[in-house]
Structure formats: C-alpha cells, structure tokens
Amino acid sequence: MLLRLRIALPDRPGSLGQVTRVLGVAGADITQIIVLERGDGRAVDDLTVFWPDSEPRERLVESLRGVEGVEVEGVWATREAPGTYPELEILKYITTAGDRALATLIDSMPVLFSADWAAAGTEREPHTVIHSSWRAPEQIPFPEIPARPTATTLDSGLHVSAAPLPPLALVLVLARAAGPAFHRIEVHRLTRILEIFLTLPAVERGVARQLRKAAID
C-alpha cells in the first residue's frame, strides 16, 4: 500500500531524523519527502511511504504521536509514484490527445494530486458536467466559482480545489475525501499545470466540439 502522510514538526535539526527512525521501526518504507512550508519554527512535510496492506494505518499515527512536537495532519492512499514527474508525462499525452485533451487532463488529476476524483463543468449554473473521472459522484458538488484556483472544505467535509478555465468557460473541481485539505503548494502546482494546458494547440477547439456535442445530447 502506498500512503501519503502530512505532518507538522519542529523546524530544527534532528526532528525529521526522529520521524524517519520511528516510521522505520513501525515498518514503513519511506520513498519520498516533500517540504511544503517552513516558518515560525515549524515545518510541514508530505512523506510517501510503502506500508503493509495487512497493517492498520492507525499504527503509523500512533508511532508518530510519540515524537515530541509532531502533529499528523492526515494519512491517505496515493497512486502518485514517488520520484517521478507524472505531470510531464500527462502533458505529453495531452499534446496528441485531440478532442480527448480535457478528458485526459481530468482523468489524470486524482493521480497527480492524491485525490479521489476530478470533474469539469460549465461555469454557468446549472452546471453541465463535460467530463468526470472514475469514482466521481453522479451529482458533482460544484463550489462557488472562484476568480483563481483556490482550496476549500465544503460543509460535508469534502476537501476541494476549484479552478476556473476562462478561455473555455469551464470550471475544474478536484476532490479529496480522506486526508487533509489541499495545501497552497498543491493549489500552486494545479495553477501551473492548467496554465500550460490552456496554451496547448487545439485544446480550445477540442473542448468547443465537446460542448456542442453535450448540448445536442
């Protein structure tokens, strides 16, 4: 099982070493560490670990609680292979996807961001879903359309990141039920991916054809 852990810890020498030792003793194989933020004597890190399927995730949390100053913000499953740059591969596929460019982007979002599902719909209400990924609900809970990519938590407890796609008159929604809310670094990463996506040739024409088809259907 590949898991993502988000922890807050003291930003001082030895703190991360304590965390890695404790996780190793618990049986976790650490494959990647990403520093999300540092400041005011604290750091927030995302750790990707291999964890035995037969072992409960609570063991990881309990082991970390024994480290002074460490707070566990979330533990959730991920499909993002550590040490790779999957967004580059996805953008490469999109360049030759034709009318499937938007669908390819949406289908890749849950893997890129360790999320549950993603969807894109028209910005005007009632929203028409243009494409949604596997595991997306039948009724997409579109938040209020933001002026720029943002992250929020809905009243239901669902963590979402929403981003407008102005040239296409669409909005993208990325959702995570387990784990923590989307971090500002994740929102920044999403922003950059979408900026590149919107500059790719034929994307706008392909989406326009999808919108016409959706209107006919």
Side-chain angles (χ1 to χ4, degrees):
M1 182 187 303
L2 196 59
L3 297 179
R4 181 72 49 83
L5 291 84
R6 182 164 298 169
I7 62 171
L9 69 162
D11 187 14
R12 60 172 181 258
S15 290
L16 186 57
Q18 287 181 285
V19 168
T20 57
R21 282 194 297 273
V22 166
L23 291 177
V25 170
D29 182 9
I30 302 172
T31 60
Q32 181 172 270
I33 299 174
I34 299 174
V35 179
L36 296 178
E37 62 180 78
R38 300 177 68 179
D40 297 326
R42 300 285 288 176
V44 178
D45 296 349
D46 270 4
L47 291 81
T48 304
V49 304
F50 282 110
W51 181 248
D53 291 350
S54 59
E55 295 294 332
R57 301 178 190 180
E58 288 73 16
R59 275 194 57 206
L60 283 174
V61 177
E62 289 299 324
S63 64
L64 289 172
R65 283 176 179 164
V67 182
E68 182 180 358
V70 171
E71 298 177 10
V72 180
E73 297 188 0
V75 179
W76 71 107
T78 181
R79 288 177 287 160
E80 182 182 350
T84 64
Y85 300 92
E87 57 264 47
L88 299 182
E89 291 297 320
I90 294 301
L91 290 170
K92 181 183 73 173
Y93 293 142
I94 288 174
T95 59
T96 59
D99 289 358
R100 289 281 303 168
L102 180 63
T104 301
L105 176 73
I106 298 301
D107 289 339
S108 70
M109 287 289 104
V111 176
L112 294 179
F113 291 89
S114 300
D116 293 317
W117 56 265
T122 54
E123 61 183 9
R124 291 185 177 181
E125 297 184 16
H127 302 289
T128 298
V129 177
I130 302 304
H131 186 78
S132 59
S133 69
W134 178 63
R135 295 175 65 186
E138 186 173 342
Q139 297 296 324
I140 302 296
F142 285 97
E144 184 177 345
I145 308 304
R148 60 183 184 277
T150 58
T152 188
T153 299
L154 304 181
D155 292 340
S156 64
L158 184 70
H159 303 304
V160 299
S161 182
L165 303 175
L168 309 178
L170 299 177
V171 60
L172 181 146
V173 179
L174 183 63
R176 177 190 291 154
F182 289 94
H183 192 273
R184 59 182 176 82
I185 296 300
E186 293 178 293
V187 175
H188 178 76
R189 183 181 173 211
L190 174 63
T191 301
R192 292 294 174 259
I193 291 173
L194 294 179
E195 286 176 349
I196 296 172
F197 171 76
L198 292 172
T199 65
L200 295 177
V203 164
E204 190 166 348
R205 293 195 300 273
V207 172
R209 285 191 288 269
Q210 284 183 278
L211 288 170
R212 288 196 295 270
K213 182 176 182 300
I216 295 173
D217 294 342

